[in-house]
Amino acid sequence: MKKLYIKSIALTVLFLANVVSFRAQVIGFAINGLTTPTTMPTTICGLTANISFSALTPSTSSAGTATLPYVIQGNNFSGFQFVSQVNWGDGVITTSNGGTSTSGTNIPMSPAITHTYATPGSYYIHTSVYNPSNQMYASDSVILTVGSCTAYFYCMIQVDCNNDGTIDSQINAPVPVILTNGINSYTDTTQNNMFMMNNIWAGTYTLSIDSNWLAANNYVIGNIIPSPTVTVGGGTTTTTLITLNCASQTTMLCATGQVYCDANDNGMMDNGETPIANAPISVNGTVAYSNANGFYTITYPGIVNDTFALTMNSNWLIQHGYVILNNSGNNVTNIIGTPCNSGIPINTINFPLSCGGIVTPTMCYSGFVFCDANGNGVMNANEAPLAGVPVMLYNTISTASSITVYTDSTGYFTYCGQYSTSTYLIATISQSWLTYNGYNPNIGVITLIGSPAGTTSTGYFAINCGGTTTTCADLWTTVTPWIGYYQNSTAYVKINWGNYGPGAAGNYTLTMSIPAGVTVNASSIANGGTVSGNTITWNLSSASSFFSNYDVITFNVPGGLTSGTAHYFTSTIAPTSGTDCSTVNNAGSLLQLVGNSYDPNDKVVARPASTIQTVGDQVSSLDYATQETLTYTIRFQNTGTAPAQNIYIIDTLDADLDWSTFTRVEATHHMEIVNLGNGVIRFEFPSIWLADSTTNEPESHGHLVYSIRENASATVGTEIENTAYIFFDWNDPIVTNTTYNINVIGSEGLTDNNATNVQVFPNPSSESITISCEGNFNYQLVDLAGRIISSGTGTDSENISISNAAVGIYQLNVQTKQGNSSLKVMKQ
């Protein structure tokens, strides 16, 4: 809100004749401004607001989530008495007196300046201070939203069906939860054991689960630990453990059967037909897998003689190309619940599958990439391997798709899968990688001979490296989120770095910049990092040509911040001496939003400049005049109760991205990149065996980072969206949030540089606003998510309808020949 500094009218009227001599002989503290520090909140949790004052510099003791801390500015400070008047925006005006002889301390006011609103809402507060000794004063206005609290919950839900104290299973699927205090009720749905409720009044509530959901799933609440009574307010995260019991008497039921390839389609397992291992079968939320001989036995809770659906996972069938031959190809069979040990024969359900000719055998292809110093095409003992080389594999039948694998520290690459229908694959090396490492980009192709899993038939890429391997390293760094990000709490941020070679890293410098006001816990910094201001610096050295490292650092996020405040964490890496093969991966960027809930499976996007982000979907404005590079991070975490054997991620690249510029930056685990064509990328983590969070929380996380440029032809209004689909084993996919970028005029938005006399009125408004400006101008009305609500041109003045816009605050960007202005507009 623009501050107003106004000389007293009374002073002008009474002493107009002596105004020059008065200004030259001001007695006492000359008030010339009323400012607000960065801790000024725009939203408070509750209905009571307070105002505090200090002189010249802010007082740290006066800051708080419900306090508006003002600083009285001026000169000739020698102690003074003053009067304050506050118009709270709801018809109430309060007057108070205060005085101080010390700057930078909280000034006691008589009476204390506090006000409790009758109803929540947004209020226009006008505050003024007046020094009666010299009749000088200043004033300021802000818009404050009161009564809006956000409740964060980490809510584990487990099932003890027969209430015997033994936990049968854990529910990670969405569950509708309710907070009520007898007057107001709020409902949300858990996502990955987390939920967040907005705009809740502070107070005490009872936590429960929706009764309709409980009835539909045959559950009752057994216990809530520590208590069903929870307190909302303060910005902290509440952790609860809810135990559910089954609503009716249940027992343990069983089913069994065999999964096999039915070559002659007779519904029987004949001699010579192949059993299928690791086929996932489920009943009533319980999953079992067939053994090496194709047999499975599944035990599940239920009521005897009830009907249950026995299911083979459809995603697993599709992935392997199998078709169920019985039951008309349906993967669901209804069975009657049969007790396991009652003497009654249990259900036997076989799954004969059509396998012939549909699925190719698992083949392994491998090779080495090395510097061929003597040019003989053979990898000799003294020749250097090349690590981190992207080797591209193509099917000999079609080049519409490809697989990219990366060499390890010994220069070795391997791929095992069902990509090719032939025993041969064509392999080459990414030309862009060769170019930025200084190698000949015209490397040809080699033919790799595939072998069954467990055996190898190795190929070799011999590269003429020259002197590059001794002078050129490829250092990289990224910054990735670890858990949720809240005010007045400890935050965790992960910095990653390494070297892809081919040269040794030698001496190098790694830095991490942190947001203003956020303090780092020095004890959490490893590898000898030092803190100076808002920067952490590591001076490191490594003789290795291929390595990766990370550090999880904790930070103290202050209170009194507005929900949604943007905090940027960035990292840079550079060699102290020597050269870096590629600088495109020498900087990392992470945007954390205050109050951002924890979703361990998400996708974020960053670019070299700052970004704008909203909770849920990330939004970034791009400068349409620049072909910008976007860096995407996809995070995943196994929140189940057993290790994840295989994980893969499907990501469809937006058509407004230049697919040829796709570059892997880093990944936490061995990763294979499958280009399925038409911009569809499949990131595979085969045999990852990712630990579950209940057993080993730190090792249950993973992520990947890649960069890609937008198309050079992008124009104003071009939108870029991306959503990832994360598959854990053969479960249904977890769909991440959608990242959203839009090209606008000026990537950083327009800032008010006072170059033009731009006015907007009325403000606030419910129907329309008028822009008043000298001469011709362009304008954009943008919401807080970065989306353009209205745009156009005008001369001298222009009326804009905002009747269809949602209630809230918007940014009005005005561009003229004299300069640019950015103003806040409130729709009420």
Side-chain angles (χ1 to χ4, degrees):
M1 182 64 63
K2 191 172 182 180
K3 298 175 176 59
L4 306 175
Y5 309 129
I6 308 173
K7 293 290 185 180
S8 170
I9 296 176
L11 178 66
T12 303
V13 174
L14 296 178
F15 301 101
L16 182 61
N18 298 316
V19 65
V20 176
S21 61
F22 172 79
R23 288 178 177 174
Q25 304 176 23
V26 170
I27 300 174
F29 184 46
I31 297 176
N32 59 26
L34 190 61
T35 63
T36 58
T38 57
T39 54
M40 171 74 80
T42 59
T43 302
I44 62 173
C45 177
L47 295 176
T48 300
N50 307 299
I51 288 180
S52 67
F53 296 103
S54 63
L56 300 183
T57 59
S59 168
T60 57
S61 63
S62 65
T65 57
T67 300
L68 307 181
Y70 285 101
V71 180
I72 305 173
Q73 302 289 352
N75 52 60
N76 196 34
F77 179 73
S78 59
F80 70 110
Q81 299 291 320
F82 68 98
V83 179
S84 73
Q85 187 178 81
V86 180
N87 185 332
W88 295 97
D90 62 348
V92 177
I93 299 176
T94 59
T95 302
S96 185
N97 297 281
T100 185
S101 59
T102 305
S103 67
T105 60
N106 189 37
I107 301 175
M109 300 300 296
S110 180
I113 308 176
T114 183
H115 180 62
T116 299
Y117 289 92
T119 59
S122 295
Y123 296 90
Y124 187 90
I125 301 176
H126 185 80
T127 304
S128 63
V129 292
Y130 171 69
N131 186 349
S133 66
N134 54 27
Q135 302 184 42
M136 301 188 74
Y137 73 92
S139 61
D140 181 56
S141 298
V142 297
I143 296 176
L144 181 68
T145 300
V146 299
S148 177
C149 301
T150 300
Y152 306 95
F153 287 86
Y154 187 72
C155 189
M156 298 286 292
I157 303 176
Q158 59 188 19
V159 177
D160 177 7
C161 196
N162 57 2
N163 198 24
D164 64 352
T166 300
I167 301 305
D168 302 316
S169 62
Q170 180 177 309
I171 299 178
N172 295 319
V175 176
V177 290
I178 297 174
L179 286 183
T180 182
N181 61 359
I183 301 175
N184 299 310
S185 294
Y186 306 91
T187 301
D188 199 359
T189 302
T190 59
Q191 299 290 337
N192 297 302
N193 301 319
M194 191 80 186
F195 67 93
M196 178 179 70
M197 296 183 181
N198 295 312
N199 302 318
I200 301 179
W201 287 26
T204 301
Y205 292 83
T206 298
L207 174 67
S208 63
I209 295 177
D210 182 80
S211 59
N212 292 326
W213 184 91
L214 290 170
N217 291 274
N218 197 40
Y219 291 130
V220 294
I221 295 178
N223 193 18
I224 299 180
I225 298 175
S227 170
T229 302
V230 296
T231 301
V232 174
T236 59
T237 301
T238 300
T239 300
T240 60
L241 175 63
I242 301 177
T243 301
L244 302 180
N245 305 140
C246 294
S248 56
Q249 183 60 42
T250 63
T251 187
M252 299 310 293
L253 309 176
C254 283
T256 189
Q258 189 177 23
V259 185
Y260 55 93
C261 288
D262 190 7
N264 57 13
D265 195 13
N266 66 351
M268 298 175 60
M269 176 72 172
D270 300 315
N271 289 333
E273 292 181 332
T274 306
I276 301 297
N278 295 318
I281 295 97
S282 62
V283 181
N284 204 27
T286 302
V287 180
Y289 297 90
S290 58
N291 62 19
N293 294 316
F295 290 105
Y296 73 89
T297 297
I298 187 166
T299 303
Y300 59 97
I303 300 175
V304 177
N305 294 326
D306 270 7
T307 300
F308 297 91
L310 180 72
T311 305
M312 177 171 285
N313 187 282
S314 58
N315 290 323
W316 180 87
L317 288 166
I318 294 171
Q319 180 178 348
H320 289 79
Y322 296 141
V323 175
I324 299 176
L325 294 175
N326 66 347
N327 201 17
S328 300
N330 195 335
N331 67 323
V332 180
T333 301
N334 291 325
I335 61 173
I336 302 299
T338 305
C340 296
N341 301 310
S342 64
I344 302 174
I346 64 175
N347 290 280
T348 300
I349 304 296
N350 295 325
F351 286 93
L353 305 179
S354 174
C355 307
I358 297 178
V359 179
T360 59
T362 297
M363 303 292 286
C364 291
Y365 310 86
S366 61
F368 285 91
V369 183
F370 65 99
C371 288
D372 189 14
N374 57 15
N376 66 351
V378 178
M379 187 174 182
N380 302 122
N382 62 341
E383 291 179 329
L386 294 180
V389 180
V391 180
M392 305 173 68
L393 309 178
Y394 291 91
N395 194 308
T396 56
I397 297 176
S398 172
T399 59
S401 63
S402 65
I403 295 173
T404 302
V405 293
Y406 295 83
T407 57
D408 63 15
S409 59
T410 67
Y412 180 73
F413 67 88
T414 183
Y415 169 75
C416 291
Q418 298 168 332
Y419 172 64
S420 176
T421 59
S422 168
T423 57
Y424 300 93
L425 279 182
I426 292 176
T428 188
I429 297 177
S430 166
Q431 289 195 357
S432 60
W433 185 90
L434 290 165
T435 299
Y436 74 62
N437 282 279
Y439 302 131
N440 180 4
N442 297 319
I443 296 294
V445 300
I446 63 174
T447 299
L448 299 177
I449 301 175
S451 301
T455 64
T456 60
S457 180
T458 304
Y460 292 89
F461 272 109
I463 296 180
N464 181 8
C465 299
T468 306
T469 55
T470 60
T471 61
C472 176
D474 186 7
L475 299 173
W476 60 267
T477 180
T478 62
V479 189
T480 51
W482 190 250
I483 62 173
Y485 196 81
Y486 308 100
Q487 62 175 316
N488 214 20
S489 64
T490 300
Y492 295 75
V493 176
K494 186 178 182 183
I495 181 171
N496 316 275
W497 73 96
N499 180 27
Y500 289 136
N507 297 324
Y508 63 96
T509 300
L510 176 70
T511 65
M512 183 178 187
S513 298
I514 63 177
V518 174
T519 58
V520 60
N521 295 314
S523 61
S524 68
I525 303 175
N527 302 294
T530 59
V531 182
S532 177
N534 289 340
T535 302
I536 308 172
T537 302
W538 293 265
N539 293 306
L540 303 172
S541 179
S542 175
S544 175
S545 61
F546 183 80
F547 68 89
S548 63
N549 205 345
Y550 73 88
D551 190 7
V552 177
I553 303 175
T554 61
F555 300 89
N556 298 317
V557 183
L561 302 176
T562 304
S563 181
T565 297
H567 278 181
Y568 294 94
F569 294 82
T570 60
S571 64
T572 61
I573 193 170
T576 305
S577 59
T579 59
D580 196 317
C581 301
S582 172
T583 59
V584 298
N585 52 9
N586 290 150
S589 178
L590 169 67
L591 170 60
Q592 293 281 58
L593 294 182
V594 175
N596 194 17
S597 62
Y598 171 42
D599 184 349
N601 300 283
D602 65 0
K603 184 172 186 178
V604 295
V605 61
R607 63 185 184 85
S610 60
T611 57
I612 303 171
Q613 185 179 38
T614 60
V615 175
D617 288 353
Q618 189 186 38
V619 179
S620 171
S621 59
L622 303 175
D623 185 352
Y624 84 98
T626 305
Q627 187 183 7
E628 299 205 46
T629 298
L630 303 178
T631 300
Y632 290 96
T633 300
I634 302 176
R635 275 193 316 162
F636 52 89
Q637 183 187 20
N638 179 12
T639 56
T641 56
Q645 301 176 45
N646 300 283
I647 296 173
Y648 69 93
I649 299 170
I650 297 293
D651 189 1
T652 301
L653 304 178
D654 195 287
D656 290 309
L657 295 171
D658 183 353
W659 300 342
S660 67
T661 63
F662 176 94
T663 303
R664 181 203 69 160
V665 177
E666 61 113 352
T668 53
H669 301 77
H670 169 71
M671 180 178 70
E672 299 166 355
I673 302 175
V674 182
N675 181 1
L676 298 175
N678 296 320
V680 181
I681 304 295
R682 174 174 167 135
F683 303 96
E684 293 189 348
F685 296 87
S687 300
I688 186 174
W689 287 100
L690 188 69
D692 61 275
S693 58
T694 58
T695 303
N696 189 340
E697 202 281 338
E699 295 299 323
S700 66
H701 296 264
H703 69 258
L704 66 95
V705 183
Y706 69 87
S707 65
I708 189 169
R709 299 181 72 181
E710 64 174 335
N711 285 333
S713 59
T715 60
V716 174
T718 296
E719 299 174 314
I720 299 174
E721 295 181 295
N722 260 91
T723 306
Y725 295 79
I726 305 172
F727 294 80
F728 289 85
D729 291 326
W730 305 287
N731 296 311
D732 290 334
I734 295 175
V735 183
T736 70
N737 58 291
T738 297
T739 62
Y740 177 87
N741 300 79
I742 184 170
N743 278 274
V744 298
I745 302 175
S747 61
E748 303 304 324
L750 302 174
T751 57
D752 190 354
N753 57 13
N754 296 322
T756 58
N757 183 21
V758 179
Q759 295 180 330
V760 57
F761 57 87
N763 191 14
S765 176
S766 59
E767 295 296 329
S768 64
I769 58 173
T770 297
I771 304 173
S772 177
C773 175
E774 296 179 1
N776 299 328
F777 60 87
N778 300 319
Y779 69 86
Q780 291 179 339
L781 184 65
V782 184
D783 66 13
L784 295 184
R787 294 181 173 86
I788 299 175
I789 304 302
S790 178
S791 64
T793 61
T795 302
D796 296 334
S797 69
E798 184 74 18
N799 185 269
I800 304 173
S801 173
I802 59 173
S803 59
N804 294 327
V807 173
I809 297 176
Y810 295 83
Q811 179 173 305
L812 178 65
N813 300 323
V814 181
Q815 184 180 42
T816 73
K817 293 182 179 180
Q818 292 77 31
N820 304 322
S821 291
S822 180
L823 305 94
K824 294 293 186 293
V825 174
M826 184 176 179
K827 163 66 184 296
Q828 63 182 10

